[in-house]
Amino acid sequence: MRRPIFWFLWPARNPGPLDADAVQTTWLRICGRGPWRWAFLIALTAAVVIVVSAAGAATLAQPGLLTIMFTIVISVPLIALLARAWVAGTYVSDRGVKISGVLTTAVMPWSDIDGITASPGSRLLGLPLRVAGERVDLVWHEGITPTHVESLSPDLWLRPESFAAARDRLSTWLREST
């Protein structure tokens, strides 16, 4: 059995039913973090640590209400955005699909999803400009919702086999959960 670092902070969990009634309740990430996302997140974490440390040092050097408020106003949003950046991705469980972005999260039950389609290209930096590549979208009764399974995402960039595996994994979850 693998134990996480600081295993004593995690309570022991009941494994639940081990028969046909077993239900996957934890959210599983469709595609693991790729090398580009790891590099970006580690660099971003280092930058946030430096900025928050500098703000804290400024507060300690010149204590006052204004510097404390400035430190809080700078530190809290940066740490919150960094935490959201670490969990951004597409997750699945027996309940449905969860698409977590840095600012938003959408959860769709499997019963609402009609299918999965691939669309050509993805948007460059949120602009209407499309770039080459492929993206997997969820088709449901309210329209089409894009996922984080993109050939140009930091998780799957320059790894076409991983993109195909993630697309197949999402299709398998849909087929077996409906």
Side-chain angles (χ1 to χ4, degrees), residues 119-148:
S119 63
S122 59
R123 293 174 29 184
L124 178 65
L125 299 174
L127 301 171
L129 180 65
R130 295 266 179 205
V131 294
E134 190 175 2
R135 181 183 70 210
V136 176
D137 299 327
L138 299 176
V139 179
W140 60 312
H141 64 276
E142 292 187 18
I144 295 176
T145 302
T147 65
H148 292 283

Side-chain angles (χ1 to χ4, degrees), residues 6-26:
F6 304 117
W7 55 267
F8 53 86
L9 297 175
W10 281 268
R13 291 190 302 182
N14 181 9
L18 299 174
D19 55 5
D21 295 332
V23 176
Q24 177 66 41
T25 57
T26 58

Side-chain angles (χ1 to χ4, degrees), residues 55-79:
T59 301
L60 292 174
Q62 187 71 24
L65 183 61
L66 187 61
T67 56
I68 292 172
M69 291 302 293
F70 179 74
T71 301
I72 291 172
V73 166
I74 292 294
S75 302
V76 171
L78 281 178
I79 293 170

Side-chain angles (χ1 to χ4, degrees), residues 37-114:
R37 185 175 300 269
W38 276 108
F40 175 73
L41 288 173
I42 290 171
L44 188 64
T45 301
V48 167
V49 166
I50 290 170
V51 169
V52 169
S53 299
T59 301
L60 292 174
Q62 187 71 24
L65 183 61
L66 187 61
T67 56
I68 292 172
M69 291 302 293
F70 179 74
T71 301
I72 291 172
V73 166
I74 292 294
S75 302
V76 171
L78 281 178
I79 293 170
L81 286 173
L82 178 66
R84 290 292 297 183
W86 274 98
V87 299
T90 302
Y91 298 85
V92 293
S93 76
D94 283 343
R95 292 178 284 186
V97 178
K98 179 170 76 168
I99 302 169
S100 294
V102 175
L103 298 176
T104 61
T105 298
V107 178
M108 290 173 277
W110 289 113
S111 59
D112 290 351
I113 299 173
D114 297 328

Side-chain angles (χ1 to χ4, degrees), residues 136 149 162-175:
V136 176
V149 181
S162 297
F163 172 73
R167 182 184 58 221
D168 293 344
R169 191 174 303 130
L170 192 58
S171 299
T172 302
W173 268 92
L174 175 65
R175 184 177 59 250

